[in-house]
Amino acid sequence: MMGAHHAVSGAAVWLAVTATAPAIPFVAGRVLPMSTGLDVQPPEVALLGALVVAGWALVADLDHHSATISRSVPVLGKLASEAVATASGGHRKGTHTVWAAVIAGLIAWAASLLVWDTHSPVGTLSVGLLLVTAPAIAFATHTIKSIKIISTWPRAWLVGVIGALAIDTGIRTSFGWLLLAVVLGYAVHLVGDFLTVEGIPPTYPWVPKPPHWWRRSALLGHFWHDNGYVSLPVLGRTGSKREWFLAVVLTLYVLYVVFFEVHALVNLHWRL
């Protein structure tokens, strides 16, 4: 799946969980545990959280030198991409596994422990939260090519820093949603690639190959490949018309929910 499509998928899933699903009594009361607090998330958390999830939905492709995230910072982005590709075994290998999603969650948890008491009116800053959310928001906003004001990386990073500071200092709510946002974004990426012909090796470096009787079936081979990768190729190959159609539908959904979340935010703070 293409980078921008991963991002919009992440945003759509986040908004479905935090904005749309809580409005449905059955979902809010039975499927989602009330302890998650998702049913009471304010509009600003839904909106900024969507950018965080969209950004983390791009992180798995740091193993590819031409991916959006690899071009995030001149020189350093390429170096980081090469290092991750070498450590993970190459594109769609180590970073496209359930282990990588768990590591992403651990990073988010560890980040919540990094705090700094500024001894100023600002109060206590969550340094780790800034480090986790600022790059993610920058990655997400840079994928929105139609908004020219953030079409360059310096501007995208500026938006990322402002958004992260808004989350850290301006939103008076629990940061318990951050772990979910990071893991959800990473998982959405894996699912997106799983739905393409190329598939993923979810347990790499352990990549079991299908038995001979499985390989003899052309149909079964679409789901468990000779190289051990698995897929449910309903989207076809990466960049296919089916993938673009799904991306358009998800984009329309995101725009629809964002409109109502912004409206709610305006009503909440300005009582219009």
Side-chain angles (χ1 to χ4, degrees):
M1 183 174 275
M2 299 173 67
H5 300 168
H6 281 303
V8 74
S9 298
V13 171
W14 174 258
L15 291 174
V17 171
T18 61
T20 308
I24 304 173
F26 174 79
V27 176
R30 299 185 183 183
V31 178
L32 294 177
M34 298 302 287
S35 60
T36 63
L38 293 177
D39 55 315
V40 294
Q41 291 298 339
E44 52 266 39
V45 172
L47 293 170
L48 289 171
L51 289 175
V52 173
V53 177
W56 273 91
L58 297 167
V59 171
D61 275 345
L62 187 57
D63 61 2
H64 196 289
H65 63 87
S66 64
T68 299
I69 190 173
S70 302
R71 295 179 277 108
S72 59
V73 181
V75 182
L76 292 179
K78 291 291 185 182
L79 292 176
S81 177
E82 291 175 1
V84 170
T86 299
S88 64
H91 184 48
R92 285 209 189 190
K93 288 186 170 66
T95 62
H96 288 65
T97 64
V98 293
W99 326 125
V102 171
I103 292 173
L106 291 175
I107 289 173
W109 172 78
S112 67
L113 305 178
L114 300 176
V115 296
W116 173 40
D117 188 351
T118 63
H119 300 289
S120 70
V122 174
T124 301
L125 282 177
S126 175
V127 179
L129 182 141
L130 293 174
L131 295 175
V132 168
T133 57
I137 294 175
F139 301 150
T141 54
H142 188 257
T143 63
I144 310 174
K145 300 296 186 181
S146 60
I147 303 179
K148 300 301 182 183
I149 193 172
I150 53 175
S151 60
T152 64
W153 274 115
R155 292 172 183 172
W157 275 99
L158 178 61
V159 173
V161 171
I162 293 174
L165 287 172
I167 293 174
D168 202 351
T169 62
I171 298 177
R172 302 306 176 187
T173 185
S174 170
F175 294 137
W177 56 269
L178 180 62
L179 175 61
L180 174 64
V182 170
V183 174
L184 190 62
Y186 209 100
V188 165
H189 184 109
L190 300 184
V191 171
D193 282 348
F194 172 71
L195 295 178
T196 63
V197 169
E198 295 84 353
I200 60 172
T203 56
Y204 182 89
W206 180 57
V207 187
K209 306 294 176 62
H212 290 294
W213 63 267
W214 185 285
R215 298 184 187 185
R216 287 196 295 267
S217 171
L219 176 62
L220 294 178
H222 291 304
F223 307 105
W224 189 6
H225 307 176
D226 289 350
N227 62 0
Y229 281 42
V230 294
S231 66
L232 182 63
V234 295
L235 296 181
R237 294 193 175 279
T238 297
S240 68
K241 292 180 179 179
R242 278 174 281 175
E243 180 183 320
W244 274 96
F245 176 78
L246 175 63
V248 169
V249 171
L250 292 179
T251 299
L252 292 175
Y253 168 75
V254 169
L255 293 175
Y256 171 80
V257 179
V258 166
F259 172 80
F260 283 99
E261 287 298 305
V262 170
H263 183 266
L265 183 62
V266 170
N267 284 337
L268 180 65
H269 292 284
W270 284 278
R271 303 297 180 183
L272 296 180

